[in-house]
Amino acid sequence: MKKVAIVMGSDSDLAVMAKAVKVLEGYEIPYEVHVYSAHRTPQQAADFAKNAKDNGFGVIIAGAGMAAALAGVLAANTTLPVIGVPLKSAVLEGTDALLATVMMPSGIPVATVAIDGSKNAAYLAAEILAVGDEALSEKIAEDRKAQSEAVLKKDAGISERLKEF
Ligand code: RP5
């Protein structure tokens, strides 16, 4: 199976991006985690993306905050799908990173998830890999079924829970 790359702009992003790792581990998808900054290590970020396909990656997840150029820079240097995770910052609460990540020019797409949406980035990466992997596709379908069952269980118990209020 192809690997997923999880790249973050700073180690201060790790707590959020670790949630993506847990999802990938749940599906037994191989992955690597790296810290490369579009601004502080531009050469290393570009080189990683340029070599990613040859190094066995199928998807790149890029998480960055503030003036979040990382996902776009990686996307500019590879034809692999890049999923951008805009990360919350103290001043603008992630809207800065959201706009920087999502507003890519035509021809260089970044599939942008929600602010701090690292789990969905991993689910999306799994779905991309599952296009050519029936066993993975079945695992994802089972996961969706479990989610539905959990909601229906809550539905069945909601009248009882109302008495708590
Ligand atoms: C971004 O700047 C990083 O992705 C991080 O979210 C933010 C702050 O980085 P540090 O100053 O904590 O290293 O490039």
Side-chain angles (χ1 to χ4, degrees), residues 8-13 37 39-40 63-66 87:
M8 63 199 85
S10 167
D11 64 348
S12 64
D13 302 327
S37 165
H39 301 118
R40 293 166 174 156
M66 300 176 76
L87 298 175

Side-chain angles (χ1 to χ4, degrees), residues 66 87-94 96:
M66 300 176 76
L87 298 175
K88 197 171 179 177
S89 61
V91 181
L92 294 175
E93 303 204 327
D96 42 358

Side-chain angles (χ1 to χ4, degrees), residues 48-164:
F48 178 81
K50 278 177 192 160
N51 297 319
K53 195 173 174 195
D54 287 344
N55 286 334
F57 293 99
V59 187
I60 298 175
I61 295 173
M66 300 176 76
L70 182 61
V73 164
L74 296 176
N77 285 286
T78 182
T79 55
L80 292 177
V82 174
I83 303 168
V85 186
L87 298 175
K88 197 171 179 177
S89 61
V91 181
L92 294 175
E93 303 204 327
T95 52
D96 42 358
L98 173 62
L99 295 176
T101 305
V102 77
M103 292 301 291
M104 289 295 292
S106 298
I108 314 291
V110 168
T112 306
V113 295
I115 295 168
D116 283 356
S118 55
K119 285 168 84 172
N120 260 2
Y123 286 119
L124 185 53
E127 289 177 3
I128 290 167
L129 294 179
V131 168
D133 186 328
E134 194 49 39
L136 179 57
S137 181
E138 279 171 23
K139 277 189 200 174
I140 294 168
E142 279 166 22
D143 204 17
R144 292 283 183 98
K145 197 169 160 227
Q147 284 186 54
S148 296
E149 284 167 2
V151 171
L152 294 176
K153 201 173 161 194
K154 286 174 187 171
D155 175 57
I158 202 72
S159 296
E160 190 59 32
R161 285 197 55 203
L162 199 55
K163 293 174 188 164
E164 296 166 22

Side-chain angles (χ1 to χ4, degrees), residues 12-32:
S12 64
D13 302 327
L14 185 58
V16 175
M17 298 311 291
K19 295 177 187 170
V21 171
K22 297 291 171 214
V23 171
L24 296 178
E25 286 178 343
Y27 287 128
E28 297 177 312
I29 294 171
Y31 65 87
E32 284 183 24

